[in-house]
């Protein structure tokens, strides 16, 4: 079953206090965990995103590692170029980790991501997904969910298209390793990062990282919302090897309607009954499809009386 | 050294091999394609010292090259036209990051409409990105300039674009003196190796910063750019000692028996057009004008001092600038640049523009017609420009 024990988390920190994340920042928490596994010798490549700021404004630096910033759409190719360059100068060991937000991954960097995945470049690509352009004040991205409000999908014109399924796109490239992870399940997140560090070739981690500023929720709800996304099956935890071997990391024991997750998020405040039903239908359908791929019982238990 | 029949793209590929480039990353585009294919072929045969990666776009090609260069590898890419325009954002980034990248651009018109003609606006539109720019006039010069540029970028930390006319040079065969590997090695030191991305201490590279830092970075880049002409001249001597060919910043030419000191009218040309002018010059010898050719080889940085000393002479009454590009609403880019350089200099003659925008092929006939039009008082449309093709 899923690793949730805090005891699994190494004590050594490679992220410093005093970073530039907002209060309750999901992406900051994700990287604090990830970097415990990748350690100080990895090279981290960051395109324009929240982490452009969280890593520190010159001359400050919040990570005890090398961070290289690069233009918005270029992170995947830059990371792959670094890896090839390192090998050309005789360094076969150093890991290169791209750390990109959903905008840089789902939208403007998608072509480059597909390129490195198809060529099976030997890098780890981490997408920390907070479901909109949060660094610039909450504009919709193609990772924004159906029915959500943003400054470019303001009320009453909430986003009318569903969230892009980035995992399906990456899986279609038959990459050696792809997994979803979530800051509410740090044990699982660390285990997946460990696995990613061991695999050769292209590795992709899609990490769910709530943004309290953008979602309109209290700052103490980051982890709670992240957990509810998994418990409502909105963001299932799973991993895929070579595009065919699916493994569910966690199967919620109870059926929890998506409403439990949506409550308390201002971005969903304009959601109507019919839209809510539409959203639930989509979640149930995606869950069944995923269970089928993983070869587990797709039956969704009815809600408890 | 041996002689070989090569076209521009083949010569470029062999130059990259002789320079022992460690990472070549590119996306094929006409007319650069056969360069990339040559390198891919050498790689496949185990006859190339580095890695070749064919990526999914020009944008990623330069991003990949930037990554490889950051890691300390000697890195090369090549493109043309739309591909170079697609790289634009990263051209700025590579220059700002002071990466020693060498790039080839085989000139080709930018759309719309689609065209494969050798208009030079593609690279000229990148003049403010902070890259060095050479414009080559023949296939031998392509080979030599690429080898030379790898040394230049590693000494200056300024990336370099080697430009040559698409098809006219990329696909035309000439006899080329192919240097031996030991000559290239004598001129080029071993690649610099791991420098920037050292993991033995934390760094936050190209992190967000403020105007003071950015201003200082830009001033340093400007200052270092200004030092380049003198550096090129000293490296060119070293190159000549090893390879036997010495390339100036700007080339002057008159036909046999004529001295530059007697020149009264100068045609300024770039790239392969300069070869046409050279071959046509003797036919002007009986027409009164004592004409000479000035070929601009280094465009960024523009060797202002050399240009002024050659053109700002009381005897030079007329300068005709040939552009194969157009900044619509303003005119040819070389003409703009030359006017700016001569402004405030002792030059007192008239400046004329012959514009071949769209990649108009410069024939001796066209040159004769253009110059005759100038003698009649210039253009008919009031633009101050003689066009290579009539509008009607």
């Amino acid at each position: 079953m899923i690793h949730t024990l805090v005891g699994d988390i190494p004590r050594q920190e490679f992220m410093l206090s005093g970073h530039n994340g907002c209060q309750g920042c999901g992406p900051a928490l994700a990287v604090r965990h990830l970097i415990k596994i990748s350690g100080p010798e990895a090279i981290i490549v960051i395109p324009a995103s929240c982490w452009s700021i969280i890593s520190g404004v010159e001359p400050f630096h919040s990570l005890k590692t090398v961070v290289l910033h690069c233009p918005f759409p270029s992170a995947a190719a830059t990371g792959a170029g670094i890896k090839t360059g390192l090998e050309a100068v005789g360094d076969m060991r150093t890991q290169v980790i791209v750390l990109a937000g959903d905008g840089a991954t789902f939208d403007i960097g998608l072509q480059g991501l597909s390129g490195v995945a198809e060529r099976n470049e030997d890098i780890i690509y981490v997408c920390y997904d907070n479901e909109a352009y949060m660094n610039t004040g909450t504009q919709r991205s193609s990772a924004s969910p159906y029915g959500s409000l943003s400054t470019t999908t303001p009320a009453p014109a909430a986003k009318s298209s569903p969230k892009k399924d980035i995992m399906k796109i990456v899986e279609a490239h038959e990459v050696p390793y792809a997994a979803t992870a979530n800051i509410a399940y740090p044990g699982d997140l660390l285990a997946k990062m460990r696995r990613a560090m061991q695999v050769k070739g292209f590795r992709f981690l899609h990490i769910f990282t709530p943004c309290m500023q953008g979602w309109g929720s209290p700052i103490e709800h980051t982890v709670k919302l992240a957990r509810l996304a998994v418990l409502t099956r909105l963001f299932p935890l799973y991993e895929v090897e070579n595009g065919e071997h699916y493994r569910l990391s966690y199967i919620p024991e109870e059926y929890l309607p998506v409403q439990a997750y949506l409550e308390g998020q201002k971005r969903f405040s304009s959601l109507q009954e019919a839209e809510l039903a539409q959203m639930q239908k989509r979640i149930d359908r995606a869950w069944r499809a995923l269970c089928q791929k993983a070869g587990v019982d797709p039956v969704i238990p009815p809600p408890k009386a | 050294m041996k002689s070989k029949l090569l076209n521009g793209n083949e010569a470029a590929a062999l130059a990259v091999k002789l320079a022992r480039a460690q990472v070549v990353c590119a996306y094929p585009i006409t007319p650069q394609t056969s360069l990339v294919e040559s390198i891919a072929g050498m790689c496949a045969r185990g006859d190339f010292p580095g890695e070749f990666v064919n990526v999914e776009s020009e944008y990623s090609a330069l991003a990949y090259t930037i990554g490889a260069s950051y890691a300390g590898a000697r890195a090369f890419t090549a493109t043309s036209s739309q591909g170079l325009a697609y790289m634009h954002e990263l051209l700025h980034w590579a220059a700002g990051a002071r990466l020693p990248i060498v790039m080839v651009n085989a000139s080709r018109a930018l759309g719309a409409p689609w065209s494969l003609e050798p208009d030079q606006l593609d690279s000229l539109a990148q003049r403010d990105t902070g890259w060095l720019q050479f414009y080559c006039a023949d296939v031998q010069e392509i080979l030599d300039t690429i080898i030379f540029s790898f040394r230049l970028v590693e000494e200056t930390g300024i990336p370099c674009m080697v430009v040559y006319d698409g098809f006219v040079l990329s696909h035309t065969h000439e006899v080329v003196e192919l240097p031996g590997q030991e000559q290239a090695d004598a001129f080029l030191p071993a690649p610099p190796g791991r420098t920037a991305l050292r993991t033995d201490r934390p760094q936050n590279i190209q992190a967000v910063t403020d105007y003071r830092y950015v201003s200082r970075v830009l001033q340093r880049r400007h200052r270092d750019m200004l030092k380049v002409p003198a550096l090129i001249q000293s490296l060119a001597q070293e190159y000549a000692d090893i390879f036997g060919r010495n390339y100036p910043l700007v080339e002057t030419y008159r036909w046999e028996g004529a001295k530059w000191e007697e020149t009264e009218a100068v045609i300024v040309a770039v790239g392969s057009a300069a070869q046409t002018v050279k071959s046509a010059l003797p036919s002007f010898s009986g027409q009164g004008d004592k004409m000479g050719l000035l070929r601009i080889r280094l465009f960024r940085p523009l060797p202002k001092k050399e240009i002024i000393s050659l053109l700002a002479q009381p005897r030079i009454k007329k300068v005709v600038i040939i552009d194969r590009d157009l900044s619509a609403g303003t005119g040819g880019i070389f003409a703009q640049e030359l006017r700016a350089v001569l402004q405030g200099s002792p030059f007192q003659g008239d400046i004329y523009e012959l514009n071949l925008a769209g990649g108009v092929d410069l024939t001796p006939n066209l040159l004769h017609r253009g110059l005759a039009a100038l003698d009649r008082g210039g253009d008919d449309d009031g633009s101050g420009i003689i066009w290579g093709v009539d509008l009607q």
Side-chain angles (χ1 to χ4, degrees):
Chain A
M1 213 4 79
I2 191 160
H3 305 282
T4 52
L5 293 176
V6 175
D8 285 356
I9 301 176
R11 285 181 177 277
Q12 196 177 2
E13 298 282 359
F14 297 102
M15 183 169 163
L16 304 161
S17 60
H19 63 76
N20 284 341
C22 306
Q23 285 180 307
C25 176
L29 193 51
V31 173
R32 179 184 168 193
H33 290 317
L34 287 176
I35 200 169
K36 283 171 182 273
I37 304 303
S38 56
E41 288 183 5
I43 292 169
I44 296 181
V45 180
I46 301 180
S49 65
C50 287
W51 258 96
S52 309
I53 302 300
I54 303 170
S55 74
V57 171
E58 173 76 25
F60 298 102
H61 188 20
S62 66
L63 295 177
K64 293 183 186 172
T65 182
V66 172
V67 166
L68 177 70
H69 297 271
C70 68
F72 215 168
S74 74
T78 303
I82 290 170
K83 183 67 186 175
T84 301
L86 289 174
E87 291 183 352
V89 299
D91 177 352
M92 316 305 272
R93 194 177 56 89
T94 300
Q95 296 262 14
V96 178
I97 301 169
V98 171
L99 185 62
D102 50 286
T105 305
F106 290 59
D107 286 346
I108 197 168
L110 184 63
Q111 174 184 300
L113 169 63
S114 174
V116 294
E118 185 269 334
R119 295 191 301 274
N120 196 22
E121 303 275 1
D122 190 20
I123 60 171
I124 299 176
Y125 189 112
V126 175
C127 172
Y128 61 97
D129 180 5
N130 52 20
E131 302 196 319
Y133 292 86
M134 296 310 188
N135 190 37
T136 49
T138 319
Q139 296 80 34
R140 65 89 87 181
S141 76
S142 58
S144 300
Y146 171 78
S148 64
L149 298 172
S150 71
T151 58
T152 53
T153 50
K159 187 166 181 270
S160 59
S161 55
K163 181 186 176 94
K164 187 186 281 181
D165 191 337
I166 195 71
M167 281 294 285
K168 267 192 193 159
I169 293 172
V170 173
E171 288 155 31
H173 293 77
E174 299 187 11
V175 300
Y177 185 72
T180 62
N182 185 308
I183 51 165
Y185 299 86
D188 181 62
L189 191 156
L190 293 182
K192 284 169 176 167
M193 187 61 181
R194 279 195 193 95
R195 178 79 190 121
M197 293 285 285
Q198 289 158 1
V199 174
K200 175 97 178 145
F202 187 68
R203 296 144 282 168
F204 184 76
L205 288 185
H206 180 200
I207 307 183
F208 194 79
T209 55
C211 168
M212 297 300 93
Q213 269 66 28
W215 295 10
S217 301
I219 53 169
E220 64 274 24
H221 283 188
T222 310
V223 174
K224 180 185 160 190
L225 284 178
R227 179 169 290 122
L228 282 167
V230 172
L231 295 176
T232 57
R233 298 167 164 81
L234 178 82
F235 189 86
L237 296 177
Y238 68 101
E239 48 194 353
V240 195
E241 296 201 5
N242 303 312
E244 56 175 349
H245 301 296
Y246 283 73
R247 193 183 73 80
L248 283 173
S249 317
Y250 178 58
I251 303 172
E253 287 95 36
E254 294 180 19
Y255 184 89
L256 195 60
V258 71
Q259 207 156 3
Y261 164 74
L262 303 176
E263 277 167 4
Q265 294 188 51
K266 287 204 185 95
R267 63 175 175 156
F268 291 116
S269 58
S270 73
L271 213 57
Q272 305 296 309
E273 261 326 295
E275 292 166 336
L276 186 65
Q278 170 77 17
M279 196 182 268
Q280 186 66 59
K281 213 170 122 186
R282 202 173 266 137
I283 290 170
D284 293 347
R285 191 178 61 212
W287 174 257
R288 277 195 295 273
L290 180 62
C291 286
Q292 201 171 5
K293 286 183 193 165
V296 302
D297 187 359
V299 175
I300 295 173
K304 283 199 168 175
Chain B
M1 200 169 313
K2 57 185 175 186
S3 294
K4 245 188 137 173
L5 194 62
L6 298 171
N7 68 28
N9 282 344
E10 291 164 350
L14 289 172
V16 174
K17 179 190 166 188
L18 285 167
R20 296 187 187 276
Q22 292 166 302
V23 177
V24 175
C25 183
Y27 182 75
I29 179 170
T30 304
Q32 155 264 43
T33 308
S34 60
L35 193 178
V36 171
E37 289 170 340
S38 282
I39 292 177
M42 287 190 282
C43 266
R45 294 190 298 273
D47 191 24
F48 190 80
E51 277 287 315
F52 169 69
V53 187
N54 186 163
V55 291
E56 85 294 337
S57 71
E58 287 91 356
Y59 188 90
S60 285
L62 186 50
Y64 205 103
T65 308
I66 285 172
S69 186
Y70 256 123
R74 185 171 282 167
F76 175 84
T77 187
T79 190
S80 179
S81 182
Q82 310 286 133
L84 185 63
Y86 193 22
M87 289 176 171
H88 176 77
E89 168 187 33
L90 293 164
L91 292 173
H92 282 283
W93 201 272
R98 302 297 299 256
L99 296 173
I101 293 169
V102 174
M103 166 196 285
V104 151
N105 183 67
S107 303
R108 172 185 146 187
L110 289 160
W114 282 122
S115 168
L116 301 173
E117 304 288 350
D119 182 294
Q120 293 174 330
L121 184 60
D122 53 357
S123 54
L124 291 170
Q126 309 301 339
R127 63 180 166 174
D128 300 332
T129 55
W131 284 57
L132 307 170
Q133 286 197 357
F134 284 106
Y135 288 76
C136 301
D138 61 40
V139 175
Q140 182 72 59
E141 188 178 338
I142 292 171
L143 182 137
D144 288 323
T145 306
I146 291 172
I147 295 172
F148 185 88
S149 295
F150 276 104
R151 172 84 179 268
L152 186 60
V153 296
E154 284 166 18
E155 292 217 357
T156 59
I158 305 174
C160 182
M161 202 179 286
V162 178
V163 181
Y164 50 86
D165 297 304
F167 294 110
V168 179
L169 289 177
S170 67
H171 286 65
T172 304
H173 286 75
E174 291 175 16
V175 176
V176 172
E177 292 289 321
L178 189 63
Q181 186 64 55
E182 66 291 344
Q183 284 173 295
D185 292 347
F187 182 72
L188 279 173
R194 192 82 170 269
T195 46
L197 289 181
R198 295 173 61 101
T199 51
D200 51 4
R201 67 187 176 90
Q203 302 174 69
N204 200 12
I205 303 169
Q206 313 302 357
V208 179
T209 182
D210 68 12
Y211 65 91
R212 284 177 294 256
Y213 186 85
V214 176
S215 180
R216 286 178 196 127
V217 166
L218 288 168
Q219 286 174 52
R220 274 194 285 272
R221 283 170 59 187
H222 182 62
R223 186 198 62 197
D224 292 350
M225 262 285 189
L226 294 176
K227 292 181 190 158
V228 167
L231 176 63
I232 290 177
Q233 283 170 320
S234 79
L235 289 180
Q237 188 53 54
E238 205 178 313
Y239 194 90
D241 292 343
I242 297 170
F243 297 86
R245 287 177 296 279
N246 196 337
Y247 293 92
L249 300 169
V250 290
E251 181 192 6
T252 53
Y253 178 82
R254 296 201 69 198
W255 65 93
E256 205 177 331
K259 295 195 184 95
W260 181 261
E261 288 69 29
E262 293 164 358
T263 313
E264 291 173 8
V266 176
I267 299 175
V268 177
V270 177
S272 62
Q275 302 289 62
T276 309
V277 176
K278 268 188 197 179
S279 67
L281 270 183
S283 62
F284 294 113
S285 59
Q287 295 182 10
D289 269 342
K290 296 191 170 181
M291 303 196 94
L293 163 72
L294 186 148
R295 175 169 76 93
I296 296 177
R297 188 168 165 268
L298 177 71
F299 175 63
R300 276 294 180 271
L302 196 61
K304 295 177 187 173
K305 207 173 70 191
E306 288 72 16
I307 291 172
I308 289 172
S309 75
L310 287 166
L311 292 184
Q313 305 289 345
R315 65 172 196 281
I316 295 181
K317 301 282 188 285
K318 184 158 90 176
V319 171
V320 180
I321 301 163
I322 301 177
D323 263 289
R324 196 134 66 184
D325 62 87
L326 178 69
S327 172
T330 303
I333 288 174
F334 282 102
Q336 286 175 38
E337 297 266 343
L338 265 284
R339 284 180 202 276
V341 166
L342 294 175
Q343 179 73 35
S345 81
F347 176 77
Q348 291 190 338
D350 295 320
I351 298 175
Y352 300 91
E353 294 187 40
L354 176 60
N355 194 296
L356 310 177
V360 178
D361 191 23
L362 182 66
T363 60
N365 259 349
L366 177 58
L367 191 58
H368 276 271
R369 277 200 292 121
L371 294 176
L374 287 176
D375 287 339
R376 284 199 309 274
D379 56 284
D380 301 325
D381 66 355
S383 64
I385 299 172
I386 302 295
W387 301 96
V389 171
D390 291 336
L391 195 54
Q392 280 78 31

